[in-house]
Amino acid sequence: MLNQLNRIGIHDTEYWRNYMFQRLWQDYYNVIPTLQENGKYARESILIGQGGMLKMQSIWQGATLITIELFGKADSWFRL
């Protein structure tokens, strides 16, 4: 996951950690979730960095973040 984030220009710095934290909470409150068979909720959005985009899926159980999955290859998507 770190390599995928680095490829789109999101690096392991305090700024980008805060960005990701805020982004996850924005998705939690603003994206309509999909109920999964296991009772958890999935929220999907597009994560945009300076070098491209990735599809991000976050899995939640109530207000607890369980996992994040990133999909796509940054180089084959849109470049800013």
Side-chain angles (χ1 to χ4, degrees):
M1 184 187 319
L2 186 60
N3 288 337
Q4 287 176 294
L5 291 171
N6 284 332
R7 262 184 295 193
I8 67 167
I10 296 177
H11 303 286
D12 188 15
T13 65
E14 185 176 347
Y15 172 82
W16 287 110
R17 281 185 230 131
N18 287 332
Y19 170 81
M20 289 296 296
F21 178 80
Q22 291 173 4
R23 180 59 193 274
L24 285 165
W25 279 111
Q26 286 175 354
D27 288 353
Y28 177 80
Y29 286 109
N30 297 320
V31 174
I32 297 171
T34 304
L35 179 62
Q36 297 181 325
E37 291 179 13
N38 58 10
K40 296 175 183 159
Y41 289 91
R43 289 172 168 81
E44 294 182 354
S45 61
I46 300 295
L47 187 59
I48 301 174
Q50 295 173 337
M53 299 186 302
L54 293 169
K55 177 182 168 185
M56 178 173 68
Q57 181 182 62
S58 55
I59 308 297
W60 299 80
Q61 187 168 10
T64 302
L65 177 63
I66 303 299
T67 191
I68 299 169
E69 293 183 57
L70 300 175
F71 302 94
K73 185 176 176 186
D75 296 339
S76 65
W77 285 55
F78 171 80
R79 286 231 174 226
L80 297 175

